[in-house]
Structures are given as C-alpha cells and as structure tokens.
Amino acid sequence: MQAAVRRISREGTLSVPRDEITDGGKIMEKKNLDWANLSFGYMTTDYRYVSVYRDGAWDEGCLTTDPNVTMNECAGILHYCQEVFEGLKAYTTEDGHIVTFRPDLNAERMMNSAARLEMPAFPRERFLDAVEQVVKANAAWVPPYGSGATLYVRPYMFATGPVIGVKPSDEYQFRILVTPVGPYFKGGAKPISICVSDFDRAAPHGTGDIKAGLNYAMSLHPYVLAHENGYDENMYLDSATRTYVEETGGANFLFVTKDGEIVIPKSGSILPSITRRSLVYVAEHYLGLKVTQRPVAFAEVGEFAECGLCGTAAVISPVGRVVDHGKEICFASGMDEMGPTIKKLYETLTGIQMGTVEAPEGWIHRIM
C-alpha cells in the first residue's frame, strides 16, 4: 500500500531567524556571503578536524585553524595512493536547526573502504563526534534555509608514514574539511547527456565498491574526453563483458520503467551510494513504488522511461539521452525537465533532508 508523504507543520517551528544560529543561547551571525549565488567549489572555512594514527593508535584529535597539510616526501599517499574519503552535507532545516543526513552510513562505508586498503578504521562513534565538532565550529558557514546552498562535509584519511617498498604505511591522518557550496545545478536540474565510455571504471574483485581516490583518478581522463565531445558524463559498463550498466565516474544509476517500477543496477563493483539506498527506501515506503535491484543489460536501457544519476552532490541528476558511439538512446521523459517519477523521488528526499517531510527514525542527525 502506498504510504503518504508526511509533511511537517510550519506553524510554531521556526525558533530563530534563518540567517542566524544559536550556540548555548548565544546568537551567532552567519558569514556575510551571497548564499544564493555560491558555486559548487571549495572555500576555506574557519576550522577543520584532524586526528593522527601513530604507534598503532589514533590520538584524541582536535580542531585546527590551519588548512595546510605537511608530510614527509615519502608519505604512502604520494607513492601508493593509500587514501579513502567520504562526502556528506550539513543543512539548515526549515525550523532553524543544523543537521546532517545519515552520517552513520558514511562512517560505516569509510571503515569498509579503509579495510580494503589496509588502513586503520576510524571508529564510527569518533567519526560522528568529529563531524559534529567541525560543523558546530563552522556553524556560521552553514547556509541559511531556502538559499539552495549547503555545507559540504569531506572526511578523508591518507597515509603519512614514509614507505619506499610497496606495503601499507604505519602512520595516517584522518581529517574533515567543510566548505559552503551552492546547488550542483544552477537554475534547476535539467536532463543531461551522457556517453558510453570506452574505458573501464572498475574490475571484478577490484576497488569499485569502496570510496577511494584512486577510483576517481582513473575516471578523470574519460571525463575530460566526454566533455570535449559535448557530453556531461560517462556511462561505464562492466569491464568483464562490457554488456551490463555499472555507474558513472561519481554516481549510481537509477532507471524507471514505463510502469513506474524503479530498477537499480546491481554489481559487486558499484559503490554503495547512501543517496541511492535512501531513494530506494523513499520509493518503497513513501511513494509505494516497486523497486528491483538486479544486473541491468545495456541492451535494455532504451526500454526505460526515465533515467537518473544519484549521489550526494546533486541528489538526482536526470538523464535525457545516452549516446553509444553515435547511436542515441532518448528517454521518454525528454531533455527539458525531470521525469515525473524521478521528480517525486527528488522532492521527497530533499524534503526529508530539509525538514519539510518527516524523516525515518535515525536519518537526521541534529547538530544544533
């Protein structure tokens, strides 16, 4: 049975002006920025978090005002690419609170990524505490509700110990930086054009299912080629047979059938997107839609009515067409706007994030 979208009443919920925040009852002003016109780019903020792993243990960690990283010329990150990272956002909700969205899943995914690269796990509870510390310290940088902007939170870990032979490092840093960013798509999310790449993103039993910088480095050349040829992104096929859809350089695929069923490509080399998992829940429990997760053959892509790319930055990017070496696959939803099902998914999930739709238990982590 279709579940009703639960809207939160706006009456009596706004406790402070949207351009201010409170810290223990003290009113703090937001930074004087043109929030509505921020780009999706890096801006140095006041504080970042850092913890060092040495002699088999993490230190207690701290906030620092120094945005620079100093390390040995033979650090493992520079030679053998031991690095993992995460991405999430802090928001100002409609009732004036600053929150993050499902940070526990980011913590768990980062632990899994670290294990795959023989790096020490940064504990889940410490991860959550570090996110809370750095967001609170930079609360004046969290964009106000209604601006379309958010505070992007980037936890990352890398090898700092010197290694010349190929082996795991003995020393690491875990850090979190934050930066205010504008919406990924200015003026709304218009459908994009993507092309089928001649390159492979990930191999079976490789590292495609973890969030490591090395996966993104190898996608840069195909990304530049796609842009040079007039496309917004690449569609990567499985490297073993090149017949099944995997993902793009930085987002998972989501398809909608003509009957309104959501179909999610399934593969052991696809990154387990937190946004994708959240959209699956929204589809099933809020919109009453059927969701199937299975291998998706490229040969059937043209049979779908809608296509989207899902990830933290844009939530859902609608795809209007896929081009396979000159052969176009155009979706019925067209190139002008989001298809109806993807639009419902987008509006419901962003409503949950911003506090206008009631969230499932545990999804919203209130910072202040």
Side-chain angles (χ1 to χ4, degrees):
M1 181 179 293
Q2 181 172 335
V5 175
R6 299 177 291 279
R7 298 280 171 186
I8 297 176
S9 172
R10 299 186 180 187
E11 296 178 5
T13 59
L14 191 58
S15 57
V16 295
R18 292 175 181 170
D19 60 347
E20 297 176 336
I21 55 177
T22 62
D23 181 12
K26 177 184 176 182
I27 297 296
M28 299 172 60
E29 291 187 0
K30 296 283 190 182
K31 295 292 181 178
N32 185 23
L33 299 176
D34 185 3
W35 300 107
N37 292 300
L38 289 180
S39 65
F40 196 88
Y42 171 73
M43 182 183 300
T44 305
T45 51
D46 295 331
Y47 297 95
R48 62 275 314 137
Y49 180 91
V50 58
S51 181
V52 174
Y53 183 89
R54 186 179 292 123
D55 299 326
W58 290 102
D59 69 11
E60 63 181 10
C62 66
L63 295 173
T64 176
T65 58
D66 187 358
N68 299 301
V69 178
T70 302
M71 57 189 169
N72 189 278
E73 63 185 351
C74 204
I77 176 59
L78 302 177
H79 301 274
Y80 304 121
C81 207
Q82 266 191 296
E83 183 270 353
V84 296
F85 71 100
E86 278 298 323
L88 61 154
K89 292 177 179 178
Y91 310 80
T92 302
T93 59
E94 188 180 44
D95 61 2
H97 293 298
I98 293 175
V99 305
T100 53
F101 180 71
R102 309 193 77 179
D104 55 316
L105 296 188
N106 293 98
E108 292 168 8
R109 187 171 64 181
M110 191 169 196
M111 293 174 71
N112 293 335
S113 297
R116 178 63 176 82
L117 295 189
E118 289 297 331
M119 303 171 72
F122 196 74
R124 176 183 181 276
E125 293 306 318
R126 288 202 57 188
F127 180 102
L128 297 175
D129 178 66
V131 168
E132 185 161 326
Q133 283 190 51
V134 77
V135 172
K136 277 186 176 179
N138 291 287
W141 294 91
V142 180
Y145 175 80
S147 64
T150 55
L151 187 75
Y152 194 86
V153 182
R154 170 55 58 85
Y156 59 112
M157 186 200 305
F158 55 95
T160 55
V163 288
I164 198 66
V166 181
K167 64 176 184 177
S169 172
D170 293 325
E171 297 179 4
Y172 299 86
Q173 281 192 31
F174 170 86
R175 301 177 70 99
I176 303 178
L177 67 84
V178 298
T179 183
V181 295
Y184 200 75
F185 295 106
K186 291 288 187 182
K190 296 293 184 181
I192 62 175
S193 295
I194 63 177
C195 62
V196 176
S197 180
D198 290 324
F199 295 87
D200 293 330
R201 176 192 161 270
H205 312 296
T207 58
D209 62 337
I210 67 170
K211 199 166 180 67
L214 54 87
N215 292 335
Y216 294 80
M218 64 190 297
S219 74
L220 296 179
H221 178 58
Y223 180 79
V224 170
L225 288 180
H227 275 243
E228 288 177 349
N229 288 299
Y231 303 106
D232 298 286
E233 251 294 1
N234 290 286
M235 171 183 280
Y236 291 102
L237 304 180
D238 75 291
S239 60
T241 70
R242 295 194 60 78
T243 57
Y244 290 96
V245 175
E246 293 245 305
E247 61 176 287
T248 69
N252 286 182
F253 277 102
L254 177 154
F255 297 100
V256 183
T257 69
K258 294 179 176 65
D259 296 327
E261 177 186 348
I262 308 297
V263 178
I264 307 291
K266 184 177 182 180
S267 163
S269 52
I270 292 176
L271 183 73
S273 164
I274 293 166
T275 303
R276 184 201 73 207
R277 284 178 276 173
S278 301
L279 287 167
V280 166
Y281 186 93
V282 165
E284 293 179 328
H285 298 275
Y286 282 68
L287 303 180
L289 301 174
K290 180 182 178 182
V291 178
T292 301
Q293 301 189 53
R294 61 171 175 80
V296 174
F298 178 69
E300 64 177 302
V301 167
E303 299 172 9
F304 293 111
E306 300 175 48
C307 173
L309 310 179
C310 49
T312 300
V315 182
I316 304 181
S317 307
V319 176
R321 66 174 185 147
V322 178
V323 180
D324 179 21
H325 300 85
K327 181 181 178 181
E328 288 194 357
I329 299 172
C330 298
F331 296 101
S333 51
M335 290 295 295
D336 295 324
E337 58 185 7
M338 282 186 174
T341 302
I342 285 180
K343 185 176 181 180
K344 288 179 184 177
L345 287 169
Y346 174 83
E347 290 178 345
T348 305
L349 185 58
T350 54
I352 289 171
Q353 292 172 334
M354 292 297 176
T356 60
V357 175
E358 184 179 348
E361 184 177 356
W363 278 28
I364 303 300
H365 180 73
R366 179 172 163 181
I367 303 292
M368 57 190 302

